[in-house]
Amino acid sequence: ELIAGPMTIVRYRLEVRSNPARPIPKDWYKDEGGRENCIEMFVYLKDRDGQEVNNRKVKLRLVLLYEIMDKVQNQEILKLSPDCKTTTGDEGKAMLKLRIEEVSKNHQRQAFRVKVEPDIEDNPTAVDISSDVSPPISVYSKRIRKKQRRRDDVDRRHPNPSPPLDDSIKGENWDHDGNVQSSVHNLLNTVRSSNQAAQLTGAWSALDLMSEASTGPALYNAVKSIIQW
C-alpha cells in the first residue's frame, strides 16, 4: 500500500504583489537614498475563489530565502521599516517596507526572495492560510557611475600604461609671458615631433581647436595632462 506524505488543508492564501507606485525591483541598490530606501510590497489575504478577505486580521511573519528557496542562515540582514504594516487589516492587505542589508555578492551572487507566511506562534488558528514568496531580488551597493565605468573599461583595454613623456616634452613649453595659445601650440608641436606622437593620432585637430578657442592656464594644464596620459 502507498501512504501519502503529510499535507495541510488551507482555506485562505497570502498573495505577494508589487506596489504599483514602487514595483518590487529585480535589482535593488541598498546604499542609494539612505535608510528611507526600502523594498515595498503588498500582501493580500484571499479565499479559495481569489476574492480578497477583509474580515480577518492575520499577523505576518517574514523569512528571507535565496532564489532557489533555501533559507538564508542569517535572518538578521532582513530589516523592517518602523512604519511597516505586518498585519492584514480591514482592506484585506498589509503593506511591507523592508531592507536587505547584505549584497548578493557576499552570498555567492545569489538573488533573494522574501517568504510571507502567517505567524502561527502569534495565532495558531492561522494554520489554514498558505504562504507566498516574492520575486527574486538581486541586492547591490550602488550603481557604477558612467565615468567610473569608462575608466574601468580603459583600464581593461590598456592594462599597461604608456611610459612617461620625455623631459623635453614636459619641460620648458610654458610661455611665461602669458601667451597661453602659443604655449599650447608649442607643447603640441613638441609631442608631434617625439616618438610618442603616434599614440595621439586623431586627437590633434580637436586639441588645436581647443587651444585656438580658449585661453588660460587651465587649458594648458588640461592639454598637458591629456598628452601625459
Side-chain angles (χ1 to χ4, degrees), residues 56-59 118-129:
R56 183 176 180 180
K57 292 186 178 181
V58 179
K59 186 176 181 180
D119 190 340
I120 306 300
E121 294 181 1
D122 177 75
N123 183 8
T125 63
V127 292
D128 62 342
I129 303 173

Side-chain angles (χ1 to χ4, degrees), residues 174-181 183 215-216:
W174 175 256
D175 185 344
H176 293 282
D177 293 333
N179 190 339
V180 181
Q181 291 182 351
S183 301
T215 60

Side-chain angles (χ1 to χ4, degrees), residues 4-229:
M7 66 180 67
T8 301
I9 299 175
V10 298
R11 299 177 59 192
Y12 304 95
R13 63 183 176 86
L14 298 172
E15 182 179 294
V16 175
R17 286 193 206 167
S18 282
N19 177 357
R22 296 189 62 181
I24 300 172
K26 179 180 178 182
D27 299 326
W28 183 65
Y29 299 87
K30 71 181 189 68
D31 294 331
E32 292 185 357
R35 303 297 298 180
E36 298 299 320
N37 177 26
C38 294
I39 301 169
E40 296 184 7
M41 59 185 73
F42 286 127
V43 180
Y44 289 84
L45 178 63
K46 293 192 172 185
D47 61 20
R48 63 181 183 180
D49 297 322
Q51 300 298 314
E52 295 177 9
V53 178
N54 54 21
N55 60 357
R56 183 176 180 180
K57 292 186 178 181
V58 179
K59 186 176 181 180
L60 305 176
R61 176 174 177 264
L62 275 58
V63 182
L64 188 62
L65 308 175
Y66 292 117
E67 182 175 8
I68 59 175
M69 303 300 288
D70 289 344
K71 185 177 179 179
V72 176
Q73 183 174 4
N74 182 13
Q75 291 290 310
E76 296 297 321
I77 66 175
L78 178 63
K79 303 292 186 181
L80 299 182
S81 172
D83 57 347
C84 177
K85 183 181 178 182
T86 58
T87 301
T88 61
D90 296 336
E91 297 179 353
K93 66 180 180 181
M95 174 63 174
L96 302 182
K97 297 178 68 175
L98 54 93
R99 291 177 55 85
I100 302 173
E101 297 293 357
E102 288 191 7
V103 295
S104 295
K105 182 179 179 181
N106 295 342
H107 294 259
Q108 299 180 337
R109 303 187 182 277
Q110 296 183 83
F112 298 97
R113 292 180 185 265
V114 178
K115 181 181 180 181
V116 184
E117 60 187 15
D119 190 340
I120 306 300
E121 294 181 1
D122 177 75
N123 183 8
T125 63
V127 292
D128 62 342
I129 303 173
S130 65
S131 61
D132 195 13
V133 295
S134 73
I137 304 168
S138 295
V139 180
Y140 302 91
S141 177
K142 292 182 179 180
R143 291 177 177 85
I144 299 178
R145 298 179 182 273
K146 291 182 178 180
K147 184 176 180 181
Q148 179 64 41
R149 186 181 294 115
R150 288 196 298 268
R151 186 181 299 115
D152 294 342
D153 291 342
V154 170
D155 291 342
R156 284 192 292 269
R157 290 196 302 267
H158 305 286
N160 297 319
S162 301
L165 296 175
D166 298 336
D167 291 337
S168 61
I169 296 174
K170 297 189 295 182
E172 300 299 326
N173 288 308
W174 175 256
D175 185 344
H176 293 282
D177 293 333
N179 190 339
V180 181
Q181 291 182 351
S182 176
S183 301
V184 172
H185 281 295
N186 290 341
L187 180 61
L188 296 178
N189 289 333
T190 303
V191 180
R192 281 194 183 96
S193 62
S194 72
N195 293 332
Q196 298 179 17
Q199 300 177 12
L200 302 172
T201 301
W204 299 117
S205 58
L207 291 172
D208 284 338
L209 289 174
M210 286 172 57
S211 63
E212 291 172 2
S214 305
T215 60
L219 169 67
Y220 179 83
N221 291 330
V223 175
K224 186 175 180 180
S225 297
I226 293 172
I227 294 171
Q228 289 177 341
W229 177 81

